Amino acid sequence: MLRKIACLAAVAGAFISTPTYAAEHNILVLPTAYFPQTSYVSAGDTLEFANSSLETITVTSVDGEWTTGPLGPEQSATIVVTAGMSRDFIHEGVTDENGDPAVTEYH
């Protein structure tokens, strides 16, 4: 009986101590769009923004909470997703059909 309890405790401990999986999301920043346009992210995931344009760009959350800082052509920056952080972002040059800054949402 004691052996069964020890075995069950070991199995339960393995599940409890196993870290959750964090995903990496690669986002290409094009002159007038992002690719992919939508991603589903969780706290702990990372967003890697890669500038695929010929100009320096800065990606910023709509509330100004985070930014990539200036990214030159072919440069990238990584943002770690935290609980409660704004997941919507913009950068100058990407506009919607009305010519307003396009807001990209990550859920």
Side-chain angles (χ1 to χ4, degrees):
M1 181 68 171
L2 188 56
R3 186 176 295 169
K4 286 183 182 180
I5 292 173
C7 183
L8 287 174
V11 170
F15 284 109
I16 292 171
S17 64
T18 303
T20 57
Y21 175 74
E24 182 177 302
H25 304 271
N26 297 306
I27 302 159
L28 294 178
V29 182
L30 306 169
T32 59
Y34 297 100
F35 182 79
Q37 190 169 2
T38 302
S39 288
Y40 296 91
V41 300
S42 300
D45 289 359
T46 57
L47 304 175
E48 182 181 11
F49 293 92
N51 183 1
S52 294
S53 73
L54 299 177
E55 299 179 17
T56 298
I57 57 95
T58 300
V59 178
T60 305
S61 65
V62 293
D63 64 2
E65 179 183 348
W66 57 265
T67 182
T68 60
L71 298 175
E74 305 302 319
Q75 289 185 324
S76 63
T78 301
I79 303 291
V80 177
V81 177
T82 58
M85 77 179 256
S86 175
R87 298 178 186 178
D88 302 340
F89 55 86
I90 59 173
H91 91 73
E92 290 182 27
V94 178
T95 58
D96 64 16
E97 61 277 354
N98 299 320
D100 297 323
V103 176
T104 300
E105 300 177 5
Y106 277 69
H107 308 280

